[in-house]
Amino acid sequence: QVQLVESGGGLVQAGGSLRLSCAASGSIRRINVVNWYRQALGKQRELVASITSSGTTDLANSVKGRFTISRDSAKNMVYLQMNNLKPEDTAVYYCNAQGVTTTGFYRDDYWGQGTQVTVSS
C-alpha cells in the first residue's frame, strides 16, 4: 500500500505563488508516475501535471509557463510549484500515484486527501 499526503495549499492573491508537496510512504515495487489533479467546485477532476520515474514531465496547457512539477526521490516527495496564480486555479489539488505493487499488480488509484488552493482576485 502507498499513502500520499498533500500539503502547501492555502489562500493567495492573484499573481501569487504556492508550492504544493506530496509525500509518499508505504510499500510498492515501483512508482511509474505521479500526477497532480485538481477539482474545482462543480467541475470534473482534471489532470494538471505529471512526472514519471525517469523524470519526464508534462503540464496541462492551462498551467504551462506558470506551474512546474518536480520530485525529490530520496525523500519520496513530489512538488508542484505554482506561480502567477489566477482565480481559475482555485480548486482542491490531489496527488495521484501509479505503479507496480510488491505483488506485481499495476495500480493507478493511490490518492491523497487533497489540499485546497484558493486564489482571490
Side-chain angles (χ1 to χ4, degrees), residues 29-30 99-107:
R29 181 177 298 177
R30 183 179 69 252
V100 180
T101 68
T102 55
T103 54
F105 292 96
Y106 187 81
R107 287 188 59 173

Side-chain angles (χ1 to χ4, degrees), residues 28-42:
I28 190 168
R29 181 177 298 177
R30 183 179 69 252
I31 292 179
N32 288 351
V33 60
V34 175
N35 302 304
W36 282 100
Y37 284 80
R38 67 185 180 187
Q39 187 166 21
L41 196 62

Side-chain angles (χ1 to χ4, degrees), residues 42-113:
K43 295 187 177 181
Q44 289 188 333
R45 192 170 294 190
E46 64 171 339
L47 179 62
V48 176
S50 300
I51 187 165
T52 69
S53 58
S54 61
T56 301
T57 63
D58 194 20
L59 296 166
N61 287 334
S62 59
V63 305
K64 281 182 179 176
R66 301 188 297 123
F67 291 12
T68 304
I69 186 170
S70 63
R71 64 178 185 174
D72 184 335
S73 298
K75 297 181 179 179
N76 292 326
M77 298 288 293
V78 173
Y79 305 100
L80 185 67
Q81 178 67 44
M82 306 186 295
N83 299 327
N84 190 21
L85 283 161
K86 303 176 180 181
E88 51 263 43
D89 295 318
T90 295
V92 178
Y93 284 70
Y94 298 91
C95 182
N96 162 257
Q98 304 177 14
V100 180
T101 68
T102 55
T103 54
F105 292 96
Y106 187 81
R107 287 188 59 173
D108 62 0
D109 59 348
Y110 295 114
W111 291 93
Q113 82 289 351

